[in-house]
Amino acid sequence: MTAENIPRATAKRLPIYYRYLNILHDTGKSRISSTELAEAVQVDSATIRRDFSYFGALGKRGYGYDVDSLLSFFKQILNQEHLTNVALIGVGNLGHALLNFNFHKDGNVRISAAFDTNDAIVNKIQDGVPVYPITELAHQLKEQQIQVVILTVPSSAAQGVTDDAVAGGVKGILNFTPIRLAVPDAVLVQNVDLTNELQTLIYFIENFGK
Amino acid sequence: MTAENIPRATAKRLPIYYRYLNILHDTGKSRISSTELAEAVQVDSATIRRDFSYFGALGKRGYGYDVDSLLSFFKQILNQEHLTNVALIGVGNLGHALLNFNFHKDGNVRISAAFDTNDAIVNKIQDGVPVYPITELAHQLKEQQIQVVILTVPSSAAQGVTDDAVAGGVKGILNFTPIRLAVPDAVLVQNVDLTNELQTLIYFIENFGK
DNA sequence: TAGATTGTTAATCGATTAACAATC
DNA sequence: TAGATTGTTAATCGATTAACAATC
């Protein structure tokens, strides 16, 4: 019941389930078993049942799960009713791509502010999002009550910008830089290290085969 | 000694170690202890020693590790001497950003071919990389002996394109689509689900605090 | 030798999954 | 009732880490 007790591994799978349930809903399917779901999302059926059971008995024995009620339940759990505003820091190549990426599409997330040092784009609208000078970072985060930022600045700027964001009350950072950021305990950092992903993939290919 | 026996979790950390060793080398530091390294890369020192020990006794008791020899050792392990060519499939927003991302910078990876359906860019050079029509995917992968692809196509095209890539002999796929790709056992898929990362981050923030 | 730090043992932890009783 | 599928138990697995003997 309490989200406190949900294992990390389970929490990471919730959006996967949610997304697929949406697809099922759109298809008009009203019922799904853990075995079918397992096939689709490539997670063991026992793991799925275990995951769901953290939230109570969501299914019916001998029947499976009701798509619609499961969907609306996960919608609550994942806070999908309201839009969460996030800020993007660093409008370079990758930052620009993420601005366009449109997390909003089937998610609950919208990039509502961007920050950069580049005078050519500062104080303008880029892809529908206002770009503020990075000097205003802490101030604007507070003002707009933004608690999550996406960090796509050069490595050299990463820690400095992070400190500013922390000063601005940030709670979560999606970090695309290869720097391991130093942050207070209360701040959550999720690293997405693209170079790493690619290198690890190549390493596995060359050394395993699988 | 044999890469076969290296745990996945260890393999995933190797590029992190490698990158930081490069920084140390550039700084002119010639020696590092597991404790110092732990501080920098945010991995427990015992885990670091355990990780290194899979490759033999790389350190000196009472001294620590020699940066240069560790560096050249990892360079070998990670195949960093030669450049690995990869292909990018789907030159949309994200694909374009990754073309510019320059994995080459401090890695061993170069995007040497791109594929798309868009006539406006097909058969042209984009950011220094030739863009081929996606119909030639299997053929070109074989011809250029490319075994790794980055997949940044729309979800609806993902499985079809994947099948073509598999026909072209692909061994690894860095998958940026939310689709769970069906591939033969011999093919390795690494999923990078940006929407998921962001949603999970927000979920943790709202439900934990940490 | 004295001090430091490795490499490894053993305990612990979190996550996965086979198996099956409960039950719709 | 018979058939199906959940929810949960218990075993297993992979990864982490405290602790310390080995040793430079």
Side-chain angles (χ1 to χ4, degrees), chain A:
Chain A
M1 192 70 185
T2 58
E4 281 293 334
N5 305 319
I6 310 300
R8 275 191 108 73
T10 296
K12 287 189 178 183
R13 283 188 291 265
L14 297 182
I16 298 175
Y17 300 141
Y18 178 69
R19 186 153 35 193
Y20 190 68
L21 286 170
N22 266 307
I23 293 175
L24 284 177
H25 176 82
D26 292 347
T27 317
K29 214 163 181 321
S30 66
R31 167 186 170 183
I32 183 96
S33 72
S34 59
T35 322
E36 293 173 89
L37 194 49
E39 171 93 5
V41 299
Q42 292 175 31
V43 172
D44 188 273
S45 68
T47 302
I48 292 177
R49 293 198 299 279
R50 153 77 86 233
D51 282 348
F52 286 4
S53 76
Y54 288 114
F55 300 97
L58 303 181
K60 295 190 197 48
R61 287 164 199 252
Y63 172 91
Y65 300 87
D66 183 69
V67 171
D68 282 6
S69 54
L70 209 50
L71 191 58
S72 56
F73 184 78
F74 275 115
K75 189 170 248 172
Q76 269 180 27
I77 292 291
L78 290 171
N79 267 79
Q80 296 283 347
E81 305 100 340
H82 74 298
L83 219 52
T84 302
N85 289 326
V86 310
L88 180 110
I89 314 179
V91 191
N93 283 316
L94 187 58
H96 205 271
L98 295 179
L99 273 187
N100 274 291
F101 185 70
N102 202 359
F103 292 97
H104 182 27
K105 179 119 172 277
D106 66 348
N108 57 333
V109 175
R110 183 182 59 177
I111 298 176
S112 61
F115 296 88
D116 206 296
T117 53
N118 181 0
D119 283 340
I121 55 171
V122 154
N123 291 323
K124 301 210 171 100
I125 306 281
Q126 284 271 309
D127 307 301
V129 176
V131 182
Y132 300 92
I134 205 154
T135 46
E136 289 180 22
L137 180 56
H139 172 67
Q140 286 292 340
L141 291 182
K142 265 187 216 150
E143 180 98 355
Q144 303 188 32
Q145 298 188 12
I146 294 175
Q147 302 196 317
V148 179
V149 300
I150 301 173
L151 194 62
T152 48
V153 299
S155 299
S156 55
Q159 186 61 58
V161 163
T162 299
D163 295 343
D164 289 348
V166 168
V170 88
K171 288 288 196 312
I173 301 175
L174 190 62
N175 174 30
F176 283 89
T177 80
I179 302 295
R180 313 285 270 197
L181 302 171
V183 292
D185 268 1
V187 176
L188 213 102
V189 177
Q190 177 64 37
N191 295 305
V192 180
D193 189 332
L194 298 179
T195 304
N196 223 9
E197 297 288 356
L198 203 42
Q199 278 188 28
T200 308
L201 181 63
I202 290 169
Y203 175 81
F204 276 115
I205 290 167
E206 291 181 344
N207 292 289
F208 302 80
K210 179 67 193 179

Side-chain angles (χ1 to χ4, degrees), chain B residues 2 15 74 78 82 96 115 119 123 132-133 141 190 210:
Chain B
T2 59
F74 276 114
L78 291 171
H82 74 298
H96 205 272
F115 295 87
D119 283 340
N123 290 322
Y132 300 92
L141 291 183
Q190 177 64 39
K210 178 67 193 180

